Amino acid sequence: MTLWHYAVGSEEKGPIDETELLALVRTGALAPDTLVWRSGRGDWMRIADTPELMAELEPEQPAGEQRHETLPPIPSLPLARPWARFWATTLDLALLFYAANLMLTFAVLLLLPWPVLQLYYQEWRIAILAAAVFASATIAVVLRAFIMALFGTSPGKALFGIRVVQLNGQSRGLFHLTRELMMWLKGLALHIFPLFFVTLILQYRRVAHGEPAGHDRGRARVEGRRISGTRFAAGVVVALLTPVALGKAMDPAATWMVAALTPPPPMQTFVNPVTGRQATFEAAWVVEDLSRDNMLFAISSDQAGGGIYFGHEQIPATMDERQYAEVLAELQARAGYEASADWAPVMINGQGAMRLAMKSTKEPDTTAEITIALRGRDAWRMVTFLMEGKKRDEAFAALEAAVFRTIE
């Protein structure tokens, strides 16, 4: 029998046996912070810090409640059908994938200057696109878990009448994050083609036979409320059209984001030696003076895949615009170019000019355009050349407009 001593204030009481001591604690005569001591202990301890006493003081569970597992909640709805779950997930991931892609684009633009990003993109286009898709899908899965933890549902699940009932004891946030990650792994095979077709079929067969999906086993019960056929069909249409609509909206959104976050490029000034007027354009364009008897400049960029020749000469008073145009077209023909259309009037900076589109007979992917403008005997010409199938873009248009502005 173990004998105990206990302290009341500064006074020592006892010894009493353990049964008496426990009875005093149970009746409230002694508090859990009362100091006790027994033979073999080095110092006094609080009752609450004494394991052998606290073990005896723990309330016993009724026999019917001892050591049984927590029962899952009684289902109030039937299991959700596989196609409803598929379309709900498709809609959710379509919405969140594009949201994640915009977030990723924003983050990358903050970390990497646009010119550097363009350089990497040209060299590693396929790898960068694959990494961006994988990263966006990962972020979309995490966003879906966050939405589920916060609201208890998602757009797709709300539309198709689906709810997820938690069966384990994890915290709400950890439960949804774990479930979404396991769904991405077991249900979608990390979006790895063609593995995700295999996992989708396997999970479809399980759910169609009334079994939980692999990522839900022991974790969740996915229930589905009965909805009308019209609502289901409308949900399918929304799930199919959402990626198309968001895909079209991504380009202008990304373009705006690039423009908003990219600092303006360094600029340079070009002086027209004939008129003395100045043009300002990006410093990436390389200017080379080829003038001999008449003014001629080459302005090009390897990154843009082309450039312009900008020249001036005085023509005889008897030569008109059409005759001058034919002379230039003949010179280009000798250089291996043929017209792909007729001369057509154009307006550049509000100034009238004539333009002829041409293509190379030696290099099929190389095209050229001759733009001429006559001001009395002053003949101005601008030959724009584009290599390797390049198209005239905003950079070319801005360069042409800036240079053409110097002729008046």
Side-chain angles (χ1 to χ4, degrees):
M1 177 182 296
T2 304
L3 296 177
W4 290 85
H5 297 262
Y6 63 95
V8 178
S10 59
E11 184 180 353
E12 178 265 329
K13 300 286 187 179
I16 61 174
D17 62 43
E18 187 170 298
T19 303
E20 286 185 79
L21 179 66
L22 293 174
L24 291 173
V25 176
R26 289 192 179 105
T27 59
L30 295 179
D33 60 353
T34 300
L35 296 176
V36 295
W37 179 88
R38 67 170 172 79
S39 178
R41 287 193 177 278
D43 203 353
W44 292 77
M45 293 181 64
R46 296 189 316 141
I47 292 175
D49 297 332
T50 308
E52 60 264 43
L53 294 179
M54 292 305 298
E56 295 294 333
L57 291 169
E58 288 181 355
E60 295 185 2
Q61 291 183 328
E65 297 181 6
Q66 292 180 358
R67 300 182 178 276
H68 67 79
E69 295 182 1
T70 303
L71 295 176
I74 299 175
S76 59
L77 293 172
L79 291 174
R81 303 306 297 162
W83 278 113
R85 294 181 61 172
F86 171 79
W87 290 114
T89 299
T90 299
L91 176 57
D92 284 343
L93 293 185
L95 288 168
L96 297 175
F97 176 84
Y98 287 103
N101 195 262
L102 283 176
M103 293 168 60
L104 184 64
T105 302
F106 182 81
V108 170
L109 288 173
L110 285 180
L111 296 175
L112 287 176
W114 179 242
V116 175
L117 190 60
Q118 279 185 310
L119 179 62
Y120 281 121
Y121 186 73
Q122 291 174 355
E123 295 292 331
W124 304 94
R125 180 186 180 93
I126 302 299
I128 289 177
L129 286 176
V133 168
F134 186 81
S136 297
T138 306
I139 297 172
V141 169
V142 175
L143 287 176
R144 192 177 189 223
F146 177 78
I147 291 173
M148 287 296 299
L150 192 61
F151 301 105
T153 188
S154 63
K157 287 182 174 61
L159 181 58
F160 286 92
I162 294 172
R163 74 170 185 174
V164 178
V165 180
Q166 182 176 348
L167 301 181
N168 60 22
Q170 288 181 310
S171 66
R172 187 184 181 92
L174 181 60
F175 160 73
H176 284 293
L177 179 60
T178 304
R179 181 178 180 273
E180 293 298 331
L181 290 175
M182 293 303 295
M183 181 275 295
W184 191 34
L185 175 63
K186 293 185 176 182
L188 298 175
L190 303 179
H191 286 96
I192 299 174
F193 180 85
L195 291 181
F196 67 83
F197 284 118
V198 177
T199 57
L200 280 174
I201 292 172
L202 291 176
Q203 300 305 328
Y204 173 87
R205 296 185 61 172
R206 289 181 61 86
V207 176
H209 286 85
E211 300 177 24
H215 53 277
D216 287 330
R217 187 185 302 172
R219 194 177 278 114
R221 172 184 168 86
V222 181
E223 300 176 344
R225 188 172 63 253
R226 183 178 295 277
I227 62 174
S228 67
T230 302
R231 178 172 169 179
F232 183 87
V236 172
V237 172
V238 171
L240 289 172
L241 293 182
T242 294
V244 177
L246 292 179
K248 290 184 177 180
M250 274 293 294
D251 283 343
T255 300
W256 175 85
M257 194 176 295
V258 168
L261 296 178
T262 303
M267 307 296 284
Q268 63 178 319
T269 300
F270 166 78
V271 179
N272 186 324
V274 176
T275 64
R277 296 176 66 87
Q278 296 182 350
T280 302
F281 45 81
E282 293 184 15
W285 294 102
V286 178
V287 180
E288 185 179 1
D289 189 352
L290 304 177
S291 304
R292 291 184 180 176
D293 296 334
N294 297 303
M295 184 199 89
L296 181 62
F297 286 87
I299 306 175
S300 61
S301 167
D302 291 336
Q303 183 177 346
I308 66 171
Y309 288 101
F310 178 56
H312 167 268
E313 58 190 341
Q314 287 200 325
I315 60 175
T318 56
M319 180 178 286
D320 61 17
E321 187 175 57
R322 175 60 65 177
Q323 292 172 323
Y324 182 63
E326 291 175 354
V327 170
L328 290 182
E330 178 62 26
L331 291 174
Q332 288 296 111
R334 293 177 187 176
Y337 286 85
E338 62 180 7
S340 56
D342 293 330
W343 284 94
V346 293
M347 295 293 291
I348 304 177
N349 299 328
Q351 302 180 59
M354 296 286 291
R355 178 171 288 169
L356 177 67
M358 308 190 78
K359 60 182 180 181
S360 174
T361 57
K362 301 176 183 178
E363 301 176 12
D365 290 337
T366 299
T367 59
E369 288 183 342
I370 308 174
T371 304
I372 63 172
L374 267 60
R375 302 294 185 265
R377 292 184 58 197
D378 290 315
W380 300 92
R381 66 184 183 277
M382 184 165 56
V383 180
T384 303
F385 60 95
L386 299 159
M387 299 179 293
E388 300 177 355
K390 297 285 186 179
K391 302 293 184 181
R392 176 189 274 105
D393 56 15
E394 292 182 3
F396 267 99
L399 174 66
E400 291 173 338
V403 171
F404 207 80
R405 200 175 288 118
T406 68
I407 70 174
E408 291 292 346

